[in-house]
Amino acid sequence: MSALAPGGPAPDVLVPHWLTAAEREELSALVRCALEDEEVHPVAAIHLSDVLTELHVATAREAMWPGSAARVRRVTGWGADVLPVRLSARELTSVLTLPELAPRLRTALCQDRP
């Protein structure tokens, strides 16, 4: 590990957004649809592709290390289908700018789980 240079770019921080299976499926479908749109900015398309990757990684992470999320669900009382989807600020911004994003999903991405 090395120290960051003063004034240099900071690394992306991945923040977990705890989403249900239905929310993850809805987000995945929305992002896939957006990526098919030729008018999506190329940089936004890269970030949206990263969101799709993280959705797959979240599922794989749960299969490989189920205890981590299970402890959080047990303490919070969340359902068994709630998983953390870790997104950078750039990825989250790319998703939040999609006009088709449902208000319920926007709320789930913008705040902690109730």
Side-chain angles (χ1 to χ4, degrees), residues 1-50:
M1 177 177 269
S2 63
L4 295 174
D12 282 338
V13 175
L14 300 179
V15 177
H17 301 274
W18 292 82
L19 304 176
T20 65
E23 291 166 338
R24 293 190 310 274
E25 183 57 38
E26 182 180 350
L27 179 58
S28 179
L30 175 66
V31 169
R32 281 193 305 273
C33 184
L35 288 172
E36 292 173 1
D37 185 352
E38 294 178 6
E39 294 184 21
V40 171
H41 191 279
V43 174
I46 291 169
H47 297 310
L48 291 172
S49 294
D50 291 343

Side-chain angles (χ1 to χ4, degrees), residues 12 14-15 17 19 23-35 43-59 61 84-98 101 105 109:
D12 282 338
L14 300 179
V15 177
H17 301 274
L19 304 176
E23 291 166 338
R24 293 190 310 274
E25 183 57 38
E26 182 180 350
L27 179 58
S28 179
L30 175 66
V31 169
R32 281 193 305 273
C33 184
L35 288 172
V43 174
I46 291 169
H47 297 310
L48 291 172
S49 294
D50 291 343
V51 171
L52 276 183
T53 299
E54 173 54 22
L55 288 165
H56 293 294
V57 169
T59 303
R61 192 170 35 249
V85 175
R86 298 170 183 166
L87 302 176
S88 71
R90 295 173 193 178
E91 294 163 350
L92 180 60
T93 299
S94 293
V95 169
L96 294 176
T97 60
L98 296 174
L101 184 65
L105 189 52
L109 289 167

